[in-house]
Amino acid sequence: FGDGSTSRDYTWIDDIIDGVVASIDELDALARSVTGAALTPAQTVQLLVDTLVAEPRASTIAQFEVYLEAARRSELQAEVKKILGSFEELARSALSALGAHHPKQGARALVAIADGFALQRLAAPRGRQDMVALREALLDLLVIQLMSNEDHLEARAQLTALN
């Protein structure tokens, strides 16, 4: 599996990485269609949910295999950071098109939410409940992203005051 150096032999994980990169290309096409279409925020979220849930199980497993292998083999971490960066850039682009105030921060959260729900769908699928919960989480994230900075800070202050 390699000696931990930055140069390594081509292995099975490279095939998986190639597949994940192909998925990014598909998502990029989706992001371009979202930013070019006159979709409402709710329609955009539903399109994203439909796309994420339709991802073949084998592709989702492969994505997490890459993540786990990078945790074991540091020489893969740069590649995984590029993959995550690509996912985040697609999310940032979509959030920007929807008028998000902080699309970069929102993009990282969106990718983490999508990954978390994908992992749970693999481990303990709940059918339609998975779709509904993912949709609600993404809508909540979008609400926060679309709030004015003043409203966002006020809401955060109110939550902090509850402690």
Side-chain angles (χ1 to χ4, degrees):
F1 279 128
D3 58 7
S5 67
T6 55
S7 64
R8 58 186 173 84
D9 296 325
Y10 192 87
T11 64
W12 61 272
I13 200 71
D14 293 290
D15 289 333
I16 293 175
I17 289 171
D18 291 344
V20 172
V21 169
S23 294
I24 293 170
D25 293 340
E26 293 170 16
L27 288 173
D28 186 41
L30 172 67
R32 281 194 308 275
S33 70
V34 165
T35 57
L39 299 176
T40 67
Q43 290 170 325
T44 301
V45 167
Q46 189 60 53
L47 180 60
L48 180 59
V49 168
D50 292 345
T51 301
L52 292 171
V53 171
E55 183 73 20
R57 182 176 170 83
S59 297
T60 305
I61 291 171
Q63 177 184 342
F64 287 108
E65 289 288 351
V66 170
Y67 291 176
L68 292 171
E69 194 63 18
R72 292 185 280 271
R73 296 175 43 207
S74 62
E75 72 270 17
L76 294 175
Q77 289 176 0
E79 192 70 33
V80 170
K81 283 180 184 176
K82 279 196 263 182
I83 290 168
L84 286 170
S86 295
F87 286 142
E88 289 171 9
E89 178 53 29
L90 293 171
R92 187 207 59 74
S93 175
L95 287 171
S96 290
L98 292 169
H101 290 282
H102 303 284
K104 187 174 180 179
Q105 294 89 339
R108 185 161 186 209
L110 190 152
V111 171
I113 290 168
D115 278 352
F117 274 94
L119 186 59
Q120 288 185 10
R121 273 194 318 279
L122 290 174
R126 297 179 186 148
R128 179 146 172 71
Q129 288 178 336
D130 288 336
M131 287 181 61
V132 171
L134 176 58
R135 183 177 188 277
E136 293 304 311
L138 293 177
L139 283 171
D140 288 345
L141 173 66
L142 189 54
V143 165
I144 292 166
Q145 285 293 305
L146 295 177
M147 289 174 82
S148 71
N149 286 335
E150 293 164 353
D151 289 343
H152 187 227
L153 291 174
E154 181 180 327
R156 192 173 269 193
Q158 288 175 358
L159 287 174
T160 304
L162 295 175
N163 290 332

